[in-house]
Amino acid sequence: YGIYTFVSANFFLNRGGNIYKLLHLISSPALPMNIPAERLIPIILFGAFWGSGLLYMLFAEFRDIVRTIRSSHFGCVRAILFEYFSFWNAVDWAAITSGAVAAIFSSATFFYIDQVNGLLPGMVARSLSPGPADAREAYESFAQEFF
């Protein structure tokens, strides 16, 4: 159906004899960019707006740092530590950092999905036609590479 799903099933046993279960599902499309254009265009458009806003914040903060250093009577480090750093600048840098981390993780997700798409046909072929008993080591090494 074009989706990869990681399923984690946890069972918690307590002294009273109850069993509690927790299912955790994480899904990802197998071909993230292979969606209809009417859905893909807004995703790319809003992603570009978000990315440009993030870059604008980054450049604005660097510009603010340069202004603070130029107008300060102290050295660079003292100007940044004592005149630039405030609560709202820390909030701005936290937003920039979290946005950069989100962008890096989503880029990594596309990279890893592409790797899985490349390895999956070989995994399915080896699972459907097992060879002799000595091929088990080769299958195990391929499975380790896959997972």
Side-chain angles (χ1 to χ4, degrees):
Y1 294 101
I3 193 166
Y4 296 123
T5 303
F6 174 78
V7 179
S8 171
N10 297 312
F11 296 96
F12 301 100
L13 309 168
N14 66 12
R15 291 182 186 180
N18 294 327
I19 301 174
Y20 297 100
K21 59 194 167 298
L22 175 69
L23 290 174
H24 188 241
L25 300 140
I26 301 173
S27 296
S28 180
L31 299 170
M33 300 307 269
N34 191 15
I35 59 176
E38 63 269 4
R39 287 181 50 205
L40 185 61
I41 290 171
I43 290 171
I44 292 174
L45 185 67
F46 290 125
F49 285 150
W50 176 78
S52 62
L54 196 63
L55 286 175
Y56 175 78
M57 283 180 62
L58 181 68
F59 289 132
E61 288 302 314
F62 277 126
R63 188 176 57 227
D64 195 21
I65 288 173
V66 169
R67 283 184 194 155
T68 302
I69 290 172
R70 285 184 180 168
S71 66
S72 176
H73 300 293
F74 305 110
C76 293
V77 175
R78 286 185 89 187
I80 292 172
L81 289 177
F82 297 115
E83 295 178 20
Y84 172 74
F85 275 130
S86 66
F87 176 74
W88 293 112
N89 286 333
V91 168
D92 290 342
W93 281 107
I96 291 168
T97 304
S98 63
V101 167
I104 290 168
F105 281 163
S106 39
S107 299
T109 300
F110 287 129
F111 173 73
Y112 290 130
I113 288 172
D114 190 43
Q115 278 188 334
V116 168
N117 287 340
L119 291 173
L120 189 62
M123 184 72 173
V124 170
R126 289 181 186 206
S127 296
L128 293 177
S129 59
D134 60 339
R136 180 175 174 88
E137 291 81 20
Y139 180 77
E140 286 178 358
S141 68
F142 189 80
Q144 287 293 333
E145 181 182 343
F146 183 75
F147 291 108

